[in-house]
Amino acid sequence: MNLFEIPVPLELAPLEMAPLEMDWGWGLMMTGVGMSVVFGLLALLWALLHLIARGDEWAARRAARAEAAAVAQAPAPKPVAAAPASPTVTIADPDGLDDDTIAAIAIAVIKHADVRRKQAAPEMRANAPGSQLWASRWVAVGRGLQNTPWRRR
Amino acid sequence: MNLFEIPVPLELAPLEMAPLEMDWGWGLMMTGVGMSVVFGLLALLWALLHLIARGDEWAARRAARAEAAAVAQAPAPKPVAAAPASPTVTIADPDGLDDDTIAAIAIAVIKHADVRRKQAAPEMRANAPGSQLWASRWVAVGRGLQNTPWRRR
Amino acid sequence: MNLFEIPVPLELAPLEMAPLEMDWGWGLMMTGVGMSVVFGLLALLWALLHLIARGDEWAARRAARAEAAAVAQAPAPKPVAAAPASPTVTIADPDGLDDDTIAAIAIAVIKHADVRRKQAAPEMRANAPGSQLWASRWVAVGRGLQNTPWRRR
Amino acid sequence: MNSETLRLLLDGVNNLSWQSMVMMAIGLLLIWLAIAKEYEPLLLLPIGAGAILANIPLSPLVGEHGALTTLYNMGVENELFPLLIFIGIGAMTDFGPLLENPKMVLLGAAGQFGIFLTLLLALALGFSQPQAASIGIIGAIDGPTSIYVSNKLAPELLAPITVAAYSYMSLVPLIMPPVMRLLTTKKERAIRMPYSSREISQRTRLLFPIIVTLVVSILVPFATPLIGMLMLGNLMRESKVVERLTGAASNELANVVTLFLGLAIGSTMMGERFLRPATLFIMGLGLIAFVLDTAAGVMFGKLLNVFSKGKFNPLIGAAGISAFPMAARVVQKEASRENFDNFVLMHAMGANAAGQVASVVAGGVLLALMGAA
Amino acid sequence: MNSETLRLLLDGVNNLSWQSMVMMAIGLLLIWLAIAKEYEPLLLLPIGAGAILANIPLSPLVGEHGALTTLYNMGVENELFPLLIFIGIGAMTDFGPLLENPKMVLLGAAGQFGIFLTLLLALALGFSQPQAASIGIIGAIDGPTSIYVSNKLAPELLAPITVAAYSYMSLVPLIMPPVMRLLTTKKERAIRMPYSSREISQRTRLLFPIIVTLVVSILVPFATPLIGMLMLGNLMRESKVVERLTGAASNELANVVTLFLGLAIGSTMMGERFLRPATLFIMGLGLIAFVLDTAAGVMFGKLLNVFSKGKFNPLIGAAGISAFPMAARVVQKEASRENFDNFVLMHAMGANAAGQVASVVAGGVLLALMGAA
Amino acid sequence: MNSETLRLLLDGVNNLSWQSMVMMAIGLLLIWLAIAKEYEPLLLLPIGAGAILANIPLSPLVGEHGALTTLYNMGVENELFPLLIFIGIGAMTDFGPLLENPKMVLLGAAGQFGIFLTLLLALALGFSQPQAASIGIIGAIDGPTSIYVSNKLAPELLAPITVAAYSYMSLVPLIMPPVMRLLTTKKERAIRMPYSSREISQRTRLLFPIIVTLVVSILVPFATPLIGMLMLGNLMRESKVVERLTGAASNELANVVTLFLGLAIGSTMMGERFLRPATLFIMGLGLIAFVLDTAAGVMFGKLLNVFSKGKFNPLIGAAGISAFPMAARVVQKEASRENFDNFVLMHAMGANAAGQVASVVAGGVLLALMGAA
Ligand code: NA
Ligand code: NA
Ligand code: NA
């Protein structure tokens, strides 16, 4: 249906038409049937959403039950000995680094690894370094994921 | 007009054609009329640009006059008392932080807020964190702006 | 060839067809000729790749020879004087900064310049600051490079 | 320079009609609304530009070989563009608030009354049945649905209907509040509703688009394109395994298609077709559709309030009109006007997402009842 | 509400056939494989969605004016989409490992035996000559090549062939290892191969796509579209002067085309055309093609082993089947199973890149021998 | 293997003509210029690739169902691609320097003399009127304008004209300086011009594209597509409310269309059509057009110099040829050659932006005078 071939109904002059001829029956039928169908469909959808939600709850309950059973089956953990005077774990480090320093280094290392990971395989890059435009590392990661189908992201 | 249906004028052999038959009149007419129209149109454009620039100047003058009037109408500010011996404002901070430290913290806080703002609604993200590819936060901001039509960016 | 106009051969029922009528000759011809051509083409490709590799090696050898010649032609460097007792260069800095500090500052300045460079001409930006979406600086750089055709990237 | 050359050069000025000048003025108005008022600029700016470029006298951009007509044939005539935009909308929409509160689905249905009431009014004004149905669909308050349905039923009215739909959609924050205040008491607006967020499993998020597609499409085949594309986008989003496609659908593709769609629709705003009393009636009926939708939503909210013994805030009903996510924000704003810390946004978002689905369903039902394909 | 209206409303349900229900179930299965198993989700999800949307009874998305049919006509019928995807693949592929080890080219050739052996089997099962050739091309183990060739030779089989190609391609890590272990001895798998990386000059990287295009295209004109587009993408990548085009080809364009291609192919999975014994045969023959390809590759590797006096690890032959770069990784995994620090990845990548080129060449040769254009 | 099979396999080699070999060599030359010399690589690389792929003997990429022909029909035949590129160019162009110095507009007009002088020369060489006009348009020194106009007037010359336009455009920094030095004295080149930057209001920036569109389009309807699309892009850019569209037009869309346009134009470089004396003449006339444009610009600059009593640097006239923003940089470079700290860049940028507008206007005027649509 090409718009430019449609004969434009220039004679359409709404107000001049006799409103008496209007098909009220058709209009009311449309309204009645239309809104009934819309309400009916969405009510059906509501029922289905309820069913899915039930499924979720049931799955959650089953998981909880399974966990409880696992806990029950597991040997009761030995009662913890009375807390000694100084309960805090201290990482003995021969280099003489204290805990805070080790924690800071750990975070720095993790962060560094994260940054390196994001930069990904630089030899796959089609673009100049510094360009964030095409981010072909994302492509690389995408292809990689496609090629190891059993690892969940 | 499909190129591949055009009969290729293989017989076109420019040098063999009699240059005497050339329609100098047509060519000169094209040159004359063409350059006149181009110059005429661009001169018209120049005039219009001038008018717009005038409008700008006029708007600027009116704004300046309005400002001047506002200043005139406003009550004259009380004369500032003679500067005391030590005019520098010092933020008295009970925690003992000096001005520079407070300024540094303020800038850090502003920067942090800015970063957070840019990250925007993370739940709207369709992509893995770290991906700058689709930047769906931009989409989110775009839709948000569309939905609050009266706030100027 | 419009798929939706293709008469779907519903009568195609492979197992009912008499396998005896099968054109083994055609199939074997296809296999023989097909694999021969594939192998032949790829062998030809192999030969050509070899030729290119030879070209590379030849170019490398020529470059090495040219370099050697240049070294030979160049006047022999004067023998370095016996190393003095304290050979390390020390940047004497009137402000009292030691070498490590100066190196750190130098790297910071280079990094800063690099960041500024990447931000490029901000007036060319069509987008809000902070948007990495369109990265129009890349466009700017691209156009710039097009306009200075003799500078290698 | 002979007279023929002169005629060629003045052809444009000679063919300047009052209609083309009025249409260019309307195009400028749309651009002004888009830029100065930021009313749905992504569509109104291209529509305005398209209207101007199409109404330039003798414009080579429209007609059999015109570039804007090419864009029209490429994606509007065959309904491809609105459907592609629906993939992007689906990829950008989070149906979580609806999944947390499935009963909000009914509010979405209530927000479609305006469609049919407007249809009746349009019939009364003398429009033909397909035209009346197309005008009614403005009441779906959903741009691509309006374009899709009116293009099927009454393509000669596509331009005014699209302009009405997008103009009023950007005016939702102005149109809704008076209606909401008129129909509710201060006490009703102040009703607080408890909100117990529950975690929606990944499984539910994936099942939702699939089930909606199957149920709606099988029962109302005419709704298949609309609901199918919307839910395809949402499935891609929730699957989390095709980020490349989700990103392309909600960014590059959506942007390019939006630009083309706006230009193509603007190019159909030709003077002799647009400048008719019908257009004025459509603009008026469109406004009425928005008001009726809001009123129906609020009244349905009041009904729910009665059934729930006063625990349901009727304002939330108004969010069922779609216009996602703007309507939900307007509802929250009205609720917090009465009571600063009354937080009904999540309920409203649920109703709003339901309205999005219901609009598409209503569009399909309308097409089914008209028997058009 | 008269009976006519009721009939209109129940049209969808009335037209629900067992075929459409089975096809929708198959569509759901493909979507499940894509999301839950992440089997080639970028194509299987759109294909599954297309299959569901096309098999909704009375779906307006297919047929003369359907949007999915429009997508089909826009890029599948005229083979544009697979060719555009090839530009993107070329732009993403690094042929460096092949250029470092040119002799690996022959392994790529060996990995195409499966095509012709499967063709013979298909002939034996009663398929016509063009159909048998199309089924054989599944053995190219390369999605776009399969789509391109089967669309030329037997478009009525396009859907099952594409589904088979992409399904098995994602199963390569499951299909290959047993075949590789069956055909090689522990000792053979443990063979270590020296690797002397040599620098590949920019000149070589640029000459490679140009020479491959010229040689293959002139000798096998039917391969011109496939090899030309693949190598054009690679030339753009290696030229380093058209990053904007390289990026557009391997991102925006590839993403949008992948989405459209998947939907369009899914839309051809109509019940009465897909649910035939032929489809089952094709799925079976596709699996056989993958196994035969792997076996041929390994056997050719063993041949090279003999010629090189035991210095060639026959596992590397299996990487010649294309399925880039997945096959090379599987080979490396098998090799390091025997010997943790046996590193054959770079040799395997060379064979794998050769397989990519050889698949395209084989597709062209097949078309040439069929005399189709 | 019978003789028929052999014939099929050697079909390609048998059909290798000297024309196809020369055309492939020309394609390789264009690719070399693009990669090694970085001459407009974004277009010359795809054009070169298209030329090679189209001239492979029996290439299935061209012809009724060929993929490159499909691209040609999709966007070159109907002029869609150059117009879409114009939206992107408008979105990337800052007309600020022109708005600060409106009188520079006249310099843009002067830079179009080359068009008509070249037209006269082409007539003298025996080209037909439409062909001569198409060759003249190379003097617009604006790629999409050349493509648009020559495609309308003489599509059989599209390929050589496009190649000439883009080749010489990348050579602007080589072609212009000798002409500029020849026509100006050392003293003239050293003239310093004061520059008072004034703030351009947002209102002016928005009014500019609107007014230019209305004025030019109404007076020269044939220029509507070119000027309308260029200014639409600029309006989107300056509106600051449709960044998504601006970004899409100047990035994704522009990149994909550039690639397709290049390939499609390259595919029209068929041997028997391209390898004619006409092509050589066109290449020669194109170079003359560039020289004449530059000369006319400088001479007009000298005229302004006289009128302004020696205060106007005539070099700036040369920036009116368009070739945005390259020409302005060349002017600045020449000016600072004489006088290291003579900064005329902003004046030159104004003239350059005016040249961009004037080129489009001249294209429209040419079409109007030819009476073609
Ligand atoms: Na609605
Ligand atoms: Na293969
Ligand atoms: Na020019």
Side-chain angles (χ1 to χ4, degrees):
Chain A
M1 191 157 35
N2 187 326
L3 174 58
F4 298 96
E5 289 165 6
I6 293 168
V8 180
L10 281 173
E11 69 281 8
L12 173 83
L15 286 186
E16 294 169 19
M17 284 179 69
L20 293 175
E21 292 176 44
M22 189 205 139
D23 191 355
W24 276 105
W26 181 80
L28 291 173
M29 184 277 290
M30 287 293 282
T31 309
V33 177
M35 283 311 289
S36 308
V37 175
V38 169
F39 261 103
L41 267 174
L42 290 180
L44 175 59
L45 215 58
W46 179 21
L48 289 171
L49 285 182
H50 245 293
L51 279 181
I52 308 178
R54 278 279 162 81
D56 265 17
E57 279 164 29
W58 179 78
R61 257 203 312 277
R62 201 178 53 164
R65 221 180 303 134
E67 203 177 314
V71 168
Q73 280 191 331
K78 285 180 195 168
V80 177
S86 59
T88 12
V89 174
T90 304
I91 300 167
D93 188 272
D95 295 340
L97 299 173
D98 62 35
D99 289 5
D100 286 348
T101 314
I102 290 172
I105 291 172
I107 288 169
V109 167
I110 292 167
K111 181 73 196 162
H112 177 72
D114 190 45
V115 166
R116 298 296 289 184
R117 184 184 59 73
K118 281 180 189 158
Q119 290 173 341
E123 70 272 21
M124 294 288 281
R125 272 208 294 257
N127 302 296
S131 154
Q132 303 228 1
L133 246 200
W134 318 117
S136 69
R137 61 176 182 265
W138 191 254
V139 174
V141 171
R143 284 184 82 85
L145 279 167
Q146 274 188 50
N147 298 329
T148 53
W150 296 283
R151 192 185 60 195
R152 286 294 305 183
R153 213 159 308 182
Chain B
M1 190 159 30
N2 187 329
L3 174 58
F4 298 96
E5 289 165 4
I6 293 167
V8 181
L10 281 173
E11 70 279 10
L12 173 83
L15 286 185
E16 293 169 18
M17 285 180 68
L20 293 175
E21 293 177 43
M22 190 204 136
D23 192 355
W24 276 104
W26 181 81
L28 291 173
M29 184 278 290
M30 285 293 282
T31 308
V33 178
M35 282 312 290
S36 308
V37 175
V38 169
F39 261 104
L41 268 174
L42 290 181
L44 176 58
L45 214 58
W46 178 22
L48 289 170
L49 285 182
H50 244 294
L51 278 181
I52 309 178
R54 278 280 162 79
D56 265 16
E57 278 163 30
W58 179 79
R61 259 205 309 278
R62 201 178 52 164
R65 221 179 304 132
E67 203 177 315
V71 167
Q73 280 190 333
K78 284 180 195 169
V80 177
S86 59
T88 11
V89 173
T90 304
I91 300 167
D93 187 273
D95 294 340
L97 300 174
D98 62 36
D99 290 3
D100 286 347
T101 314
I102 290 173
I105 291 172
I107 287 168
V109 167
I110 291 166
K111 182 74 195 161
H112 177 71
D114 191 44
V115 166
R116 299 295 289 184
R117 185 185 59 72
K118 280 180 190 159
Q119 289 173 341
E123 70 273 19
M124 294 289 281
R125 272 208 295 254
N127 302 296
S131 154
Q132 303 227 3
L133 245 200
W134 319 117
S136 69
R137 62 178 181 263
W138 190 254
V139 173
V141 171
R143 285 185 81 86
L145 279 168
Q146 274 189 49
N147 297 330
T148 53
W150 295 281
R151 192 186 59 196
R152 287 294 304 185
R153 213 159 308 183
Chain C
M1 190 159 30
N2 187 329
L3 174 58
F4 298 97
E5 288 165 6
I6 294 168
V8 181
L10 280 174
E11 71 280 9
L12 173 83
L15 286 185
E16 294 169 18
M17 285 179 69
L20 293 175
E21 293 176 42
M22 191 204 137
D23 192 354
W24 276 104
W26 181 80
L28 291 174
M29 184 277 291
M30 285 294 282
T31 308
V33 177
M35 283 311 291
S36 309
V37 174
V38 169
F39 261 103
L41 267 173
L42 291 180
L44 175 59
L45 214 59
W46 179 21
L48 289 170
L49 285 182
H50 245 294
L51 278 182
I52 308 178
R54 278 279 162 80
D56 265 16
E57 277 163 30
W58 179 79
R61 258 203 311 278
R62 199 177 54 165
R65 222 179 303 133
E67 203 176 312
V71 167
Q73 281 190 331
K78 286 178 195 170
V80 176
S86 58
T88 13
V89 173
T90 304
I91 300 168
D93 188 271
D95 294 340
L97 299 174
D98 61 36
D99 290 3
D100 286 348
T101 314
I102 290 172
I105 291 172
I107 287 169
V109 166
I110 292 166
K111 181 75 196 162
H112 177 72
D114 190 45
V115 166
R116 300 295 290 183
R117 184 185 58 73
K118 280 181 190 158
Q119 290 173 341
E123 70 273 18
M124 294 289 281
R125 271 208 295 256
N127 301 297
S131 153
Q132 304 227 1
L133 247 198
W134 317 118
S136 70
R137 62 177 181 264
W138 190 253
V139 174
V141 171
R143 285 184 82 85
L145 279 167
Q146 275 189 48
N147 297 330
T148 52
W150 295 281
R151 192 185 58 196
R152 285 296 305 184
R153 211 159 308 182
Chain D
M1 184 168 169
N2 55 24
S3 67
E4 171 66 6
T5 309
L6 196 67
R7 199 192 56 70
L8 267 176
L9 284 175
L10 292 178
D11 241 11
V13 181
N14 285 340
N15 279 279
L16 207 56
S17 64
W18 70 267
Q19 283 104 330
S20 59
M21 278 189 282
V22 172
M23 289 314 295
M24 284 192 265
I26 291 176
L28 287 175
L29 176 71
L30 292 179
I31 289 176
W32 180 78
L33 289 174
I35 296 179
K37 298 288 176 185
E38 294 196 28
Y39 287 176
E40 294 278 346
L42 292 180
L43 260 143
L44 289 192
L45 194 148
I47 290 180
I52 294 175
L53 293 175
N55 283 285
I56 297 283
L58 306 177
S59 171
L61 282 166
V62 288
E64 205 188 338
H65 295 300
L68 293 182
T69 306
T70 304
L71 289 180
Y72 179 89
N73 293 333
M74 191 189 289
V76 183
E77 190 197 345
N78 56 21
E79 286 111 20
L80 200 58
F81 286 167
L83 296 181
L84 293 179
I85 285 182
F86 257 135
I87 301 183
I89 292 178
M92 284 191 261
T93 305
D94 177 10
F95 283 104
L98 176 60
L99 295 172
E100 290 172 359
N101 249 311
K103 69 167 174 288
M104 291 299 167
V105 156
L106 291 184
L107 290 171
Q112 314 309 319
F113 265 115
I115 296 177
F116 296 97
L117 300 179
T118 310
L119 180 155
L120 285 174
L121 285 175
L123 277 180
L125 283 171
F127 284 98
S128 73
Q129 291 184 0
Q131 287 175 336
S134 299
I135 294 168
I137 204 66
I138 301 176
I141 313 198
D142 186 84
T145 301
S146 301
I147 295 173
Y148 183 85
V149 171
S150 63
N151 195 43
K152 286 253 190 233
L153 296 181
E156 72 275 14
L157 297 184
L158 176 61
I161 286 173
T162 307
V163 170
Y166 278 102
S167 304
Y168 294 133
M169 212 174 312
S170 64
L171 290 174
V172 152
L174 276 188
I175 297 172
M176 286 175 71
V179 180
M180 289 155 75
R181 284 176 216 162
L182 191 74
L183 293 175
T184 51
T185 64
K186 203 178 175 70
K187 206 180 127 201
E188 283 172 336
R189 293 198 291 275
I191 293 172
R192 281 160 190 272
M193 292 178 66
Y195 183 72
S196 59
S197 109
R198 60 189 188 82
E199 214 187 329
I200 307 298
S201 71
Q202 170 83 351
R203 203 174 56 105
T204 302
R205 287 180 175 276
L206 289 170
L207 281 177
F208 175 73
I210 293 173
I211 287 179
V212 171
T213 303
L214 289 179
V215 168
V216 173
S217 297
I218 291 176
L219 292 177
V220 191
F222 286 98
T224 308
L226 295 167
I227 200 80
M229 291 299 165
L230 183 68
M231 290 296 142
L232 168 62
N234 194 246
L235 178 67
M236 295 191 330
R237 168 200 171 93
E238 301 297 351
S239 80
K240 300 217 164 63
V241 293
V242 289
E243 277 110 345
R244 295 192 70 180
L245 303 186
T246 313
S250 57
N251 288 284
E252 294 87 18
L253 187 59
N255 295 344
V256 171
V257 168
T258 301
L259 176 60
F260 286 3
L261 181 62
L263 287 172
I265 286 179
S267 78
T268 66
M269 292 172 65
M270 302 301 291
E272 62 273 28
R273 195 185 293 128
F274 196 87
L275 293 175
R276 286 180 298 160
T279 300
L280 274 183
F281 285 119
I282 290 171
M283 297 304 289
L285 288 169
L287 183 56
I288 291 171
F290 271 61
V291 170
L292 288 176
D293 264 348
T294 310
V298 173
M299 294 313 291
F300 192 76
K302 288 179 86 126
L303 195 72
L304 287 191
N305 186 29
V306 171
F307 276 110
S308 68
K309 288 163 195 166
K311 285 182 188 152
F312 190 89
N313 188 327
L315 287 181
I316 292 168
I321 66 167
S322 80
F324 186 86
M326 198 167 3
R329 293 191 196 183
V330 173
V331 166
Q332 169 61 29
K333 221 170 138 197
E334 280 306 300
S336 53
R337 245 177 108 255
E338 291 306 324
N339 212 322
F340 179 71
D341 56 351
N342 190 3
F343 191 76
V344 298
L345 183 63
M346 287 312 275
H347 295 96
M349 286 294 275
N352 212 172
Q356 176 81 34
V357 174
S359 294
V360 168
V361 169
V365 168
L366 211 56
L367 283 176
L369 291 175
M370 297 300 299
Chain E
M1 185 167 168
N2 54 24
S3 65
E4 171 66 6
T5 309
L6 195 68
R7 199 193 55 70
L8 268 177
L9 285 175
L10 291 179
D11 241 12
V13 181
N14 285 341
N15 279 279
L16 207 56
S17 63
W18 70 267
Q19 283 104 331
S20 59
M21 279 190 282
V22 172
M23 290 314 295
M24 284 192 265
I26 290 175
L28 288 175
L29 175 71
L30 292 179
I31 289 177
W32 180 77
L33 289 174
I35 297 179
K37 298 288 178 185
E38 296 198 26
Y39 286 177
E40 295 277 346
L42 292 180
L43 260 143
L44 289 192
L45 195 149
I47 290 180
I52 294 176
L53 293 175
N55 282 286
I56 296 284
L58 306 177
S59 171
L61 283 166
V62 288
E64 205 188 338
H65 295 298
L68 293 181
T69 306
T70 304
L71 289 179
Y72 179 90
N73 293 334
M74 192 188 287
V76 183
E77 190 196 346
N78 55 22
E79 286 114 19
L80 200 57
F81 287 167
L83 295 181
L84 294 180
I85 285 181
F86 257 135
I87 301 183
I89 292 178
M92 285 190 262
T93 304
D94 177 10
F95 284 103
L98 176 61
L99 295 171
E100 290 171 0
N101 249 311
K103 70 167 173 288
M104 291 297 166
V105 155
L106 292 183
L107 290 170
Q112 314 309 319
F113 265 115
I115 296 177
F116 297 97
L117 300 179
T118 310
L119 182 154
L120 285 174
L121 284 175
L123 276 180
L125 282 171
F127 285 97
S128 73
Q129 291 184 359
Q131 287 175 337
S134 299
I135 294 168
I137 204 65
I138 301 177
I141 313 198
D142 186 83
T145 300
S146 302
I147 295 174
Y148 183 84
V149 171
S150 63
N151 194 44
K152 286 252 190 235
L153 295 180
E156 71 276 13
L157 298 184
L158 175 61
I161 286 173
T162 307
V163 171
Y166 278 102
S167 305
Y168 295 133
M169 214 174 313
S170 63
L171 290 175
V172 152
L174 275 189
I175 296 172
M176 287 175 70
V179 180
M180 288 155 75
R181 285 176 216 161
L182 191 73
L183 294 174
T184 51
T185 64
K186 205 178 173 68
K187 205 179 131 201
E188 283 172 337
R189 292 198 292 276
I191 293 170
R192 283 160 189 272
M193 292 176 65
Y195 183 73
S196 58
S197 109
R198 59 188 189 82
E199 213 188 332
I200 306 298
S201 72
Q202 170 83 351
R203 202 174 56 104
T204 302
R205 288 181 174 275
L206 289 169
L207 282 177
F208 175 72
I210 293 173
I211 288 178
V212 170
T213 302
L214 289 179
V215 169
V216 173
S217 297
I218 291 175
L219 292 177
V220 191
F222 287 99
T224 308
L226 294 166
I227 201 81
M229 292 298 164
L230 183 69
M231 290 297 143
L232 168 61
N234 194 247
L235 178 67
M236 294 192 328
R237 169 201 170 93
E238 301 297 352
S239 80
K240 300 218 166 63
V241 293
V242 290
E243 278 108 345
R244 296 193 69 179
L245 303 186
T246 313
S250 57
N251 287 284
E252 295 87 18
L253 188 59
N255 294 343
V256 171
V257 168
T258 301
L259 177 60
F260 286 2
L261 181 62
L263 286 173
I265 286 178
S267 79
T268 65
M269 292 171 65
M270 303 301 292
E272 63 274 29
R273 196 185 293 129
F274 196 87
L275 294 176
R276 287 181 297 162
T279 300
L280 274 184
F281 285 119
I282 290 171
M283 297 303 290
L285 288 169
L287 182 56
I288 291 171
F290 271 60
V291 170
L292 289 175
D293 264 347
T294 310
V298 174
M299 294 314 290
F300 191 78
K302 287 178 85 126
L303 195 72
L304 288 191
N305 187 29
V306 171
F307 276 110
S308 67
K309 289 165 193 162
K311 285 183 188 151
F312 191 87
N313 188 327
L315 286 181
I316 292 169
I321 66 166
S322 81
F324 186 85
M326 199 167 1
R329 293 191 197 184
V330 173
V331 165
Q332 169 61 29
K333 222 170 137 197
E334 280 306 299
S336 54
R337 243 177 109 255
E338 291 307 323
N339 212 322
F340 179 72
D341 56 351
N342 189 3
F343 191 76
V344 299
L345 183 63
M346 288 311 277
H347 295 95
M349 286 295 276
N352 212 172
Q356 176 81 33
V357 174
S359 294
V360 168
V361 169
V365 167
L366 210 56
L367 283 176
L369 290 175
M370 296 301 299
Chain F
M1 186 166 169
N2 54 24
S3 67
E4 171 67 4
T5 310
L6 196 69
R7 198 193 55 70
L8 268 176
L9 285 175
L10 291 179
D11 241 12
V13 182
N14 285 339
N15 279 279
L16 207 57
S17 64
W18 69 268
Q19 282 103 330
S20 57
M21 279 190 281
V22 172
M23 289 314 295
M24 284 191 265
I26 291 176
L28 287 175
L29 174 70
L30 292 178
I31 290 176
W32 179 77
L33 289 174
I35 297 179
K37 297 290 178 184
E38 296 198 27
Y39 287 176
E40 295 277 346
L42 291 180
L43 260 142
L44 288 192
L45 193 148
I47 290 180
I52 295 175
L53 293 175
N55 283 286
I56 295 284
L58 305 178
S59 171
L61 282 166
V62 289
E64 205 188 339
H65 295 299
L68 293 181
T69 306
T70 304
L71 289 178
Y72 179 90
N73 293 333
M74 192 189 288
V76 183
E77 190 196 344
N78 56 21
E79 286 114 19
L80 200 57
F81 287 167
L83 296 181
L84 293 180
I85 284 181
F86 257 135
I87 302 183
I89 291 177
M92 284 190 261
T93 305
D94 178 10
F95 283 103
L98 176 60
L99 294 172
E100 290 171 359
N101 250 312
K103 69 167 174 289
M104 291 298 167
V105 156
L106 292 183
L107 290 171
Q112 314 309 317
F113 265 115
I115 295 177
F116 297 96
L117 300 178
T118 310
L119 182 153
L120 286 173
L121 284 175
L123 277 179
L125 282 171
F127 285 98
S128 73
Q129 291 184 359
Q131 287 176 336
S134 299
I135 294 168
I137 204 65
I138 301 177
I141 313 199
D142 185 84
T145 301
S146 301
I147 295 173
Y148 182 85
V149 171
S150 63
N151 195 44
K152 287 251 190 236
L153 295 180
E156 72 275 14
L157 298 184
L158 176 60
I161 286 173
T162 306
V163 170
Y166 279 102
S167 304
Y168 294 133
M169 213 174 313
S170 64
L171 290 176
V172 152
L174 275 189
I175 298 173
M176 286 175 70
V179 181
M180 287 154 76
R181 284 175 217 163
L182 192 74
L183 294 174
T184 52
T185 65
K186 202 177 174 71
K187 205 179 129 201
E188 283 172 336
R189 292 199 292 276
I191 293 171
R192 283 162 189 270
M193 292 178 64
Y195 183 72
S196 59
S197 110
R198 59 187 189 84
E199 213 188 332
I200 307 298
S201 71
Q202 170 83 351
R203 202 174 57 102
T204 302
R205 287 180 175 276
L206 289 169
L207 281 176
F208 175 72
I210 293 173
I211 287 179
V212 170
T213 304
L214 289 179
V215 169
V216 173
S217 297
I218 291 176
L219 292 176
V220 191
F222 286 99
T224 308
L226 294 167
I227 200 81
M229 292 298 164
L230 183 69
M231 290 296 142
L232 168 62
N234 195 246
L235 179 66
M236 294 191 331
R237 169 200 170 94
E238 300 297 351
S239 78
K240 301 219 165 64
V241 293
V242 290
E243 276 110 346
R244 295 193 69 179
L245 304 186
T246 314
S250 57
N251 287 285
E252 294 89 17
L253 189 59
N255 294 344
V256 171
V257 168
T258 302
L259 176 60
F260 286 3
L261 182 61
L263 286 172
I265 287 179
S267 78
T268 66
M269 292 171 65
M270 302 302 291
E272 63 272 29
R273 196 185 293 128
F274 196 88
L275 293 176
R276 286 181 297 162
T279 300
L280 273 184
F281 285 119
I282 290 170
M283 297 303 289
L285 288 169
L287 182 57
I288 292 171
F290 272 61
V291 170
L292 289 175
D293 264 347
T294 309
V298 173
M299 294 315 290
F300 192 77
K302 288 178 86 128
L303 196 71
L304 287 191
N305 186 30
V306 171
F307 276 109
S308 68
K309 288 162 192 164
K311 285 182 187 152
F312 190 89
N313 189 327
L315 286 181
I316 293 170
I321 65 165
S322 79
F324 187 86
M326 200 167 0
R329 294 191 197 183
V330 173
V331 166
Q332 168 61 30
K333 219 169 138 197
E334 280 306 299
S336 53
R337 244 178 108 256
E338 291 306 325
N339 212 323
F340 179 72
D341 55 351
N342 190 5
F343 191 75
V344 298
L345 183 63
M346 288 312 276
H347 295 95
M349 285 295 274
N352 212 175
Q356 176 81 34
V357 174
S359 293
V360 168
V361 169
V365 168
L366 210 56
L367 283 176
L369 291 175
M370 297 300 300

